[in-house]
């Protein structure tokens, strides 16, 4: 087994684990925005916080193993594979989304959410679309 395949396997594993949470967290925000029940709000605050802090190491490890893959493939490979440059732009978008979730978490924690459940339903779909584009780029490599 080569180092490259180990890095690739771990990159995919941590990405899947990260996305399991990044898909579910905004759904919790939807429920939180819909309820006025204080007990439910407190339970959702706990769930949101625990989930975001649980998946953040997966986001970091996804990045670490992705970068190790790039270094393993080498500089010339990186320069020649334009599809990867587009993928990385989308990945940066996902990390910004992840950071934005921390801001939303803080808003709910301090009871200052002003957004509707419809807003959270919409942002719940964004990482799905970005992931779809990333997968197409990684599999089809259209700009190689």
């Amino acid at each position: 087994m080569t180092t490259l395949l180990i890095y690739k396997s771990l990159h995919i594993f941590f990405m899947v684990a990260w996305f399991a949470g990044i898909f579910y967290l905004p759904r919790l925000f939807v429920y939180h925005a819909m309820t006025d029940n204080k007990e439910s709000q407190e339970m959702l605050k706990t769930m949101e916080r625990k989930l975001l802090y649980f998946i953040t190491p997966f986001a970091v490890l996804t990045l670490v193993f992705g970068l190790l893959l790039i270094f393993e493939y080498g500089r010339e490979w990186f320069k020649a594979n334009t599809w990867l440059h587009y993928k990385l732009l989308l990945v940066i978008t996902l990390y910004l989304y992840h950071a934005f979730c921390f801001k939303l978490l803080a808003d709910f924690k301090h009871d200052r959410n002003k957004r509707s459940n419809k807003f959270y339903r919409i942002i719940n779909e964004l990482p799905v679309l970005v992931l779809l584009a990333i997968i197409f780029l990684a599999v089809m490599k259209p700009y190689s």
Side-chain angles (χ1 to χ4, degrees), residues 9 19 36 56 59 64 82 84 90 96 105 135 142-143:
S9 297
F19 269 85
D36 291 326
T56 297
V64 166
T82 309
L84 182 60
L90 292 171
L96 292 172
L105 180 75
I135 289 171
Y143 302 103

Side-chain angles (χ1 to χ4, degrees), residues 43-109:
M43 180 186 65
L44 286 163
K45 286 178 187 180
T46 301
M47 292 172 67
E48 293 157 357
R49 179 181 45 80
K50 286 184 176 187
L51 179 59
L52 187 55
Y53 282 96
F54 178 73
I55 65 171
T56 297
F58 299 144
V60 171
L61 289 167
T62 299
L63 178 64
V64 166
F65 287 104
L67 292 173
L68 286 171
L69 276 170
I70 291 170
F71 289 120
E72 191 73 20
Y73 276 111
R75 180 177 291 151
E76 292 306 315
W77 173 85
F78 180 76
K79 287 180 190 177
N81 285 279
T82 309
W83 67 268
L84 182 60
H85 304 167
Y86 291 111
K87 177 190 173 200
L88 291 174
L89 286 173
L90 292 171
V91 168
I92 289 167
T93 302
L94 289 171
Y95 282 97
L96 292 172
Y97 178 91
H98 189 101
F100 182 58
C101 286
F102 275 100
K103 190 244 184 273
L104 298 174
L105 180 75
D107 288 346
F108 278 116
K109 176 183 177 181

